[in-house]
Amino acid sequence: MKFLLIAPFIKRHVEVDRAISWAPVAPTSDAVVSRENARVTFRELAIVHGYPVMVAVIEASFPNLRPQEVEEELDHLAEECAQTIGVATSGLRWVARVQLLDDANDLPVWSVEESNTVDLERGGELNIGWGNGFIVGWDSLESTIHRDVLEGLIHAQGIWCEIADLSRSVHDTVLVAYAQRRGVSAHTSMRALVQLNSELQLHTLAWSDLSRETAIRRRSVFNTTLASWDYGAVRDRVGADIAGATEHLQLIERLADSRYQRVVEIVLLALTVVSALGLVIGLIELSHTIVDAPGYSHRGSSLLELLRAADADYLVITSGLVLLALLVFLISFRRLFGSAGK
């Protein structure tokens, strides 16, 4: 039996290139895998979207093994093969297993449920599902078709790795965002969400470009693979999480602004009361100064004379109480009509 294994590494390169670059690796040999029942016939390393991805074709014999046991053996073989490449990573994210069949009469190791297919030339067909798949007529296909299929699958792996990493980052940030209750903390979380939204938009542009690629076969493999993994729903969920958390933080910031505005208005009202009280005191002082000045014409009914004749303490206390009552009334009036308008 022959299997195509595609496995992205966990660690992402700093330099992110949307195109595929094939990196040279040591020549393949039987010593690459230390199993008597397995032989590596093809092994390369691709860098796609900044992710190192190992591609290997392994001929292996698994007599009397159940499908789940075959998957486990292939995962172990992929780990052993990856260790010979020398990429500084902490292991593989997962292993995509695609069985390579000679013709349609061969039975695959596992049945691929909810899978999608891509018609290839000369009767070849790709049947891809979640984790497993198979290709019919692989050996009869030309090398250019091999490369188109591989690059379509690898591009799908790179896009999926990117949305998976972005989804985890968004999940963590959203949990923090929904726990925010203060405007300052909300602003910090909002900045993180803005950055994640920018990354999502760049990711979406990369996916859009690849989904409309001019190479028809590569584009079909790419779109079909992501469709079988329900990629569109994952991307939409990430966008919805960002939008929901952003709306939540905007509400917190609006509430914080509203509380700030209420404080400012109360302070301004208090300052107005103090200024009015200062005006009353100033008029009382003015009445004593001007009325006693030489040359002042005493008419007996002017405001200054009335203020001078009145008890200054009484005027100040009365004015203060009236202005304080007015301040309380204005604050209550604002709260009453402010809450009614919400």
Side-chain angles (χ1 to χ4, degrees):
M1 291 182 287
K2 186 182 297 185
F3 299 91
L4 168 65
L5 305 181
I6 302 178
F9 289 85
I10 293 176
K11 185 178 179 181
R12 188 182 193 184
H13 283 195
V14 177
E15 300 83 6
V16 178
D17 187 358
R18 302 293 178 181
I20 294 177
S21 59
W22 293 92
V25 295
T28 47
S29 65
D30 294 345
V32 170
V33 175
S34 59
R35 305 288 184 87
E36 294 182 357
N37 64 332
R39 182 172 68 92
V40 177
T41 60
F42 175 84
R43 182 193 56 156
E44 288 195 37
L45 177 68
I47 309 297
V48 54
H49 301 268
Y51 295 96
V53 180
M54 184 197 69
V55 182
V57 176
I58 295 179
E59 292 181 355
S61 176
F62 302 112
N64 304 322
L65 289 185
R66 293 174 297 178
Q68 183 176 356
E69 294 173 331
V70 173
E71 294 175 7
E72 294 174 354
E73 287 296 318
L74 289 174
D75 289 348
H76 293 321
L77 289 170
E79 288 283 355
E80 292 182 23
C81 190
Q83 292 173 3
T84 67
I85 292 180
V87 175
T89 68
S90 54
L92 301 176
R93 291 170 174 256
W94 64 76
V95 180
R97 301 166 292 265
V98 181
Q99 188 175 6
L100 304 178
L101 304 176
D102 292 333
D103 55 53
N105 294 325
D106 293 338
L107 295 178
V109 172
W110 47 75
S111 59
V112 183
E113 300 179 356
E114 299 181 1
S115 60
N116 295 321
T117 61
V118 178
D119 291 331
L120 307 173
E121 294 180 5
R122 300 181 180 180
E125 181 183 83
L126 167 66
N127 190 298
I128 192 71
W130 180 262
N132 299 324
F134 59 85
I135 298 177
V136 177
W138 176 259
D139 289 337
S140 64
L141 299 175
E142 296 179 356
S143 59
T144 55
I145 301 178
H146 286 176
R147 186 50 60 99
D148 284 343
V149 172
L150 288 180
E151 292 192 352
L153 291 171
I154 295 171
H155 266 309
Q157 292 276 10
I159 284 290
W160 185 262
C161 287
E162 198 168 59
I163 196 64
D165 287 346
L166 189 56
S167 177
R168 281 190 290 269
S169 298
V170 168
H171 178 266
D172 295 340
T173 305
V174 165
L175 288 180
V176 174
Y178 280 119
Q180 302 302 333
R181 296 294 182 271
R182 299 176 57 190
V184 175
S185 301
H187 182 70
T188 302
S189 294
M190 180 70 79
R191 292 180 61 183
L193 283 175
V194 169
Q195 177 62 33
L196 289 173
N197 187 62
S198 299
E199 294 179 14
L200 176 61
Q201 299 308 316
L202 291 174
H203 168 83
T204 302
L205 287 175
W207 163 79
S208 178
D209 290 341
L210 290 170
S211 66
R212 296 176 296 175
E213 177 164 352
T214 56
I216 298 176
R217 190 183 301 111
R218 190 159 56 233
R219 182 182 68 219
S220 298
V221 172
F222 173 79
N223 289 330
T224 302
T225 301
L226 289 181
S228 67
W229 297 344
D230 207 12
Y231 160 80
V234 176
R235 192 185 69 247
D236 291 343
R237 189 201 68 215
V238 171
D241 288 345
I242 293 176
T246 301
E247 184 177 355
H248 171 73
L249 294 176
Q250 288 174 342
L251 176 60
I252 292 177
E253 289 186 337
R254 286 198 296 269
L255 290 174
D257 290 340
S258 177
R259 287 193 293 267
Y260 174 76
Q261 290 297 329
R262 286 199 297 269
V263 171
V264 170
E265 290 176 2
I266 292 174
V267 171
L268 291 177
L269 287 173
L271 291 176
T272 302
V273 169
V274 172
S275 299
L277 185 59
L279 177 61
V280 172
I281 296 174
L283 288 175
I284 294 174
E285 294 177 348
L286 182 64
S287 67
H288 285 276
T289 301
I290 294 181
V291 171
D292 294 335
Y296 178 77
S297 176
H298 295 270
R299 300 176 183 176
S301 60
S302 67
L303 176 61
L304 294 178
E305 291 183 0
L306 291 175
L307 290 175
R308 186 177 186 278
D311 188 288
D313 292 337
Y314 174 79
L315 286 176
V316 172
I317 293 173
T318 303
S319 301
L321 291 176
V322 171
L323 292 173
L324 181 61
L326 179 61
L327 175 62
V328 173
F329 171 76
L330 291 175
I331 294 176
S332 302
F333 181 83
R334 189 209 177 283
R335 286 181 177 176
L336 175 64
F337 285 88
S339 60
K342 293 181 182 179

